[in-house]
Amino acid sequence: MTNSKQQLEAPSIPSLGFAPELYERRHFIENYGTINLYFRKVTSVLSALFGPRGGKFLNIPHGAFHSNIDQVAANTTTAYPVYFGETDFSNGVTVVSNSQITVAVSGIWNLQFSLQIKNVSNDGQDFDVWLRKNGTNIADSNSRFHAPARKSSGDPSHLIAALNFFVSLSAGDYVEVVGCVTSTDVSLEAFTAGTSPTRPAVPSAIATMTFVSNLPTV
């Protein structure tokens, strides 16, 4: 009942044909057998779906994205969208114009993101980050992070800002992660893969978007 992607196959609707005007045992046996086979397949699918591992058969919309570039603010009086230029997974979720996380279906979505913040200033600085939906700020979505002063010349301080939100979106809507800083010495920094020991690259920003539920109807 499953294919190589572990997705359940919906049973084909049985074709019973038209009943004859007079009772025919053969016709009854054939249709009974077809219906019996159909319900066996339906029962098998439902048993797998509602079983303890049934979630693996669900094709839930989702997306995962990151950025491999440094992201710098030109000034402290402008809000800048965070870029997610690289796509890791995309199933009903895409990034448009590098920052607009766009969904293909309506629903409640869970957006999770983390930002690799760097501060090269001699003073501690603040980094505000919030969400925009279709270009409009989402109320009460702002968070403020404090980046400590740099440790020494050439040795900046680093901080991870990690958050998650539920967002109500219609098909075609998008959400952006937006930020501003108290000093242009604060930025999002990406690191290339390291050696001794060998280790992965560090993205400047990571975001995942997962479908949670249909929109309420009442």
Side-chain angles (χ1 to χ4, degrees), residues 181-198:
V181 294
T182 55
S183 170
T184 55
D185 287 335
V186 178
S187 62
L188 302 182
E189 185 176 26
F191 296 88
T192 59
T195 57
S196 298
T198 301

Side-chain angles (χ1 to χ4, degrees), residues 86-106:
E86 306 296 326
T87 297
D88 302 305
F89 301 97
S90 178
N91 179 27
V93 187
T94 56
V95 172
V96 178
S97 300
N98 291 316
S99 66
Q100 300 171 3
I101 303 174
T102 307
V103 301
V105 296
S106 300

Side-chain angles (χ1 to χ4, degrees), residues 3-216:
N3 60 24
S4 60
K5 294 184 179 181
Q6 294 188 323
Q7 294 177 341
L8 295 175
E9 297 178 4
S12 301
I13 298 175
S15 177
L16 302 179
F18 296 100
E21 294 184 5
L22 300 177
Y23 171 78
E24 290 185 7
R25 180 179 176 83
R26 178 185 59 81
H27 177 82
F28 175 81
I29 292 175
E30 288 178 354
N31 283 352
Y32 181 85
T34 301
I35 294 173
N36 183 53
L37 177 61
Y38 174 73
F39 280 109
R40 284 179 180 273
K41 291 180 178 180
V42 170
T43 300
S44 177
V45 169
L46 293 177
S47 296
L49 185 60
F50 296 140
R53 298 177 180 82
K56 72 178 183 179
F57 299 114
L58 298 177
N59 187 21
I60 299 173
H62 60 272
F65 315 94
H66 71 275
S67 174
N68 286 328
I69 62 172
D70 295 342
Q71 304 187 43
V72 180
N75 59 68
T76 61
T77 59
T78 302
Y80 295 92
V82 175
Y83 282 8
F84 301 98
E86 306 296 326
T87 297
D88 302 305
F89 301 97
S90 178
N91 179 27
V93 187
T94 56
V95 172
V96 178
S97 300
N98 291 316
S99 66
Q100 300 171 3
I101 303 174
T102 307
V103 301
V105 296
S106 300
I108 304 298
W109 292 82
N110 183 18
L111 171 62
Q112 297 180 286
F113 62 89
S114 64
L115 309 176
Q116 179 68 64
I117 301 173
K118 176 180 74 171
N119 182 19
V120 298
S121 170
N122 287 323
D123 301 309
Q125 303 293 340
D126 292 335
F127 185 104
D128 278 22
V129 58
W130 65 95
L131 301 182
R132 283 179 179 169
K133 174 181 173 180
N134 298 332
T136 300
N137 291 337
I138 296 179
D140 303 316
S141 66
N142 193 23
S143 294
R144 177 166 296 173
F145 295 88
H146 184 75
R150 69 181 184 179
K151 289 167 280 187
S152 64
S153 177
D155 190 7
S157 67
H158 292 97
L159 172 72
I160 288 288
L163 293 164
N164 77 280
F165 293 89
F166 275 16
V167 185
S168 174
L169 299 172
S170 297
D173 284 350
Y174 69 86
V175 62
E176 291 179 293
V177 180
V178 183
C180 68
V181 294
T182 55
S183 170
T184 55
D185 287 335
V186 178
S187 62
L188 302 182
E189 185 176 26
F191 296 88
T192 59
T195 57
S196 298
T198 301
R199 54 196 186 276
V202 178
S204 60
I206 299 172
T208 61
M209 191 76 152
T210 307
F211 183 83
V212 175
S213 171
N214 288 331
L215 291 174

